[in-house]
Amino acid sequence: MVSVEKTDVKPLLYRNSQEKYGKLYPVKETSLLLPSLVLLIGCLLVTVLIRYRLIFFVSPDIGGIESNVIYSIQRYMAGYPLYANPEIAPYSITQYSPVYYRIVAAIGYLAGVEPDDTLGVYRLSRVVSLTANGFYAALLFGLGKRFCLTTKASMAIAITAFVLLPPQAYSRPDSLYILLVMATLYAVVRAIQAEQKKQELNWLAGTVGLAALAIATKQSGIVLPFAVVGYYAFVNGHCLKGLVLGGCIGLAGLLFLIGFMPEHDPILLYANIINGVNQGVDWSSFKINIVDHYFRTFSVHIAIGLPLCIWLIRQTKADYRWLGWSVLVLFGFSLSTSIKWGSALNYFTEYVALTGLVAAVWLNEQSFLVSKRGMGWPLLAFSAIFWAVVPNMTNFNWPLLMRSGALSETPYRQQKQIADYLRDSLNLKSTDAVFVTNYNYCYLNGLLYRNCLIPQQDMIAAVMYPRKKLDYSALDKQISQQGIRFLITRTGETATEFPGLTTAHYVLRRRFPQFDVYESR
């Protein structure tokens, strides 16, 4: 066990420099770091403004098919099962573990948000995610301080990580998941640095609870027990401690999954979060979403981060070795899972954030970079600004928010008129089925969450149905027997992605802006 002396908090520019390299002539910290921080804080203020506007942005998807998550939250808030049989109507798949859904629903209940207030549920989820993002950045700041970085350096790391959050973290379980991953890493660091056995045991207990909560928030949390076991068993040489911790995390994770699941049914849970996301390998998706959108944009992170992780593992300090090992494991896990259909750059969110911490820790040890020419901080400052600004130029929400009328609720009100027309004029019953072809770019599945079929069309139509990942014989029968009463299509659209489900057996009832409403003959 390695303890960290409380007095070992010298400023980044000077730590160990006198002992290692004699008298140096560093550039004053304020002449380099302060202007860099001003620029980073400018990036932060712009990002916070955009994130605030995104809460009220009238768009059913600000990243990662947001509508899929909102649908499950609405259904649960209205008293429907969070996890249902995906092979029977409405053929819904709740893709993620239950904690985020339950937290948003609980806050919605306390705040008086009704499930029928679709726009309100969207805004509620975005507020919860933004709050989680703030705590995520705060934990990165805390990690920086635990590794003896200055306050300004820790602020730079935290700000950069917040600014670089991908849209998938704006209103999805990812926001809570990455927070819990960072909290788990922080708890292990505190356990390693603990000066007393009782403190170490308390932080290890916290590690178990936080890692288990991460598993109960998103299935990717399963990487955490492997990271902990690998560190204690192979890197630190405490095999028994690692196995005990890994077993406790796995058991607690399973108990949390079943406990937070409202139905407490492991079969339904497995059908949704395991079978429901068994989408197979897709190299074309990997090429577009990972190689083009991540490897090319964040190539500097990869080129710098991976070698420095190996360097950290080779150090004698246990906390350094944990940092290097955990970041390396997170990257490897993200890379191995990113070959499946639907993968995106958000798989590497933690790695991108932690690369800044790893680089700062390395610079803190390599004081020769802060010599007479003062190359260390200019390099780090330039990298931080480059990493923070350039990738966000590709964030599709930024230009959308700059349009006039971006916060206007007119599109939502127009779509609500369609839902009201079905209920008031066409006597929509609770047992009637409605199919909407424009599943991701409108609010209709949310406005009609009690009646809509196949709300997660992105993966069902593209993967699950054509590849027969699940048994959709009930859906085929419902289509062939014209069991879907209403069909809402884009203007002029006559066919869907499901065989036999066309407008041929339907009567056009009314045309709305961008939508046609059909009723079964």
Side-chain angles (χ1 to χ4, degrees), residues 1-3 192 231 235-236 310-322 365:
M1 179 175 66
V2 177
S3 63
I192 292 170
Y231 168 73
V235 178
N236 215 29
I310 296 172
W311 174 83
L312 283 170
I313 293 172
R314 294 169 63 88
Q315 302 306 298
T316 57
K317 293 183 178 180
D319 50 355
Y320 279 27
R321 299 168 77 187
W322 162 246
E365 293 291 331

Side-chain angles (χ1 to χ4, degrees), residues 459-487:
M459 62 176 176
I460 295 176
V463 180
M464 307 302 288
Y465 183 86
R467 297 183 186 179
K468 305 301 179 184
K469 294 291 184 178
L470 294 171
D471 181 7
Y472 285 106
S473 57
L475 173 61
D476 293 334
K477 182 179 180 180
Q478 190 170 7
I479 292 173
S480 64
Q481 295 181 351
Q482 299 181 37
I484 302 174
R485 182 181 173 189
F486 294 106
L487 185 61

Side-chain angles (χ1 to χ4, degrees), residues 190-205:
R190 293 302 301 266
I192 292 170
Q193 295 178 350
E195 297 178 352
Q196 298 178 1
K197 192 67 176 179
K198 184 178 180 180
Q199 291 177 337
E200 180 190 9
L201 291 175
N202 288 339
W203 281 108
L204 288 177

Side-chain angles (χ1 to χ4, degrees), residues 70 74 77 112-124 409 412-413 416 446-447 449-450:
I70 300 302
Q74 283 183 279
M77 290 176 68
V113 178
E114 296 294 331
D116 290 329
D117 180 10
T118 302
L119 205 56
V121 178
Y122 269 90
R123 290 169 176 170
L124 172 66
E409 295 184 7
Y412 173 77
R413 301 299 174 194
K416 191 175 184 301
L447 291 165
Y449 69 89
R450 289 182 173 86

Side-chain angles (χ1 to χ4, degrees), residues 148-279:
C148 298
L149 302 182
T150 64
T151 298
K152 292 175 183 177
S154 301
M155 282 179 58
I157 293 165
I159 291 172
T160 305
F162 182 84
V163 170
L164 283 175
L165 283 170
Q168 289 85 351
Y170 293 177
S171 182
R172 283 167 32 111
D174 299 66
S175 61
L176 182 59
Y177 167 71
I178 59 175
L179 167 62
L180 291 168
V181 169
M182 212 58 64
T184 302
L185 268 59
Y186 181 85
V188 176
V189 169
R190 293 302 301 266
I192 292 170
Q193 295 178 350
E195 297 178 352
Q196 298 178 1
K197 192 67 176 179
K198 184 178 180 180
Q199 291 177 337
E200 180 190 9
L201 291 175
N202 288 339
W203 281 108
L204 288 177
T207 298
V208 171
L210 290 166
L213 275 174
I215 295 172
T217 300
K218 191 178 179 184
Q219 299 90 305
S220 303
I222 196 65
V223 67
L224 293 174
F226 289 101
V228 172
V229 170
Y231 168 73
Y232 279 103
F234 303 114
V235 178
N236 215 29
H238 293 87
C239 187
L240 181 60
K241 180 187 284 189
L243 291 174
V244 170
L245 282 171
C248 289
I249 292 172
L251 179 60
L254 180 61
L255 292 176
F256 282 8
L257 276 171
I258 303 300
F260 278 100
M261 178 190 182
E263 297 77 30
H264 306 298
D265 186 337
I267 296 177
L268 283 178
L269 188 70
Y270 184 86
N272 282 264
I273 71 171
I274 304 298
N275 280 348
V277 296
N278 179 23
Q279 295 150 357

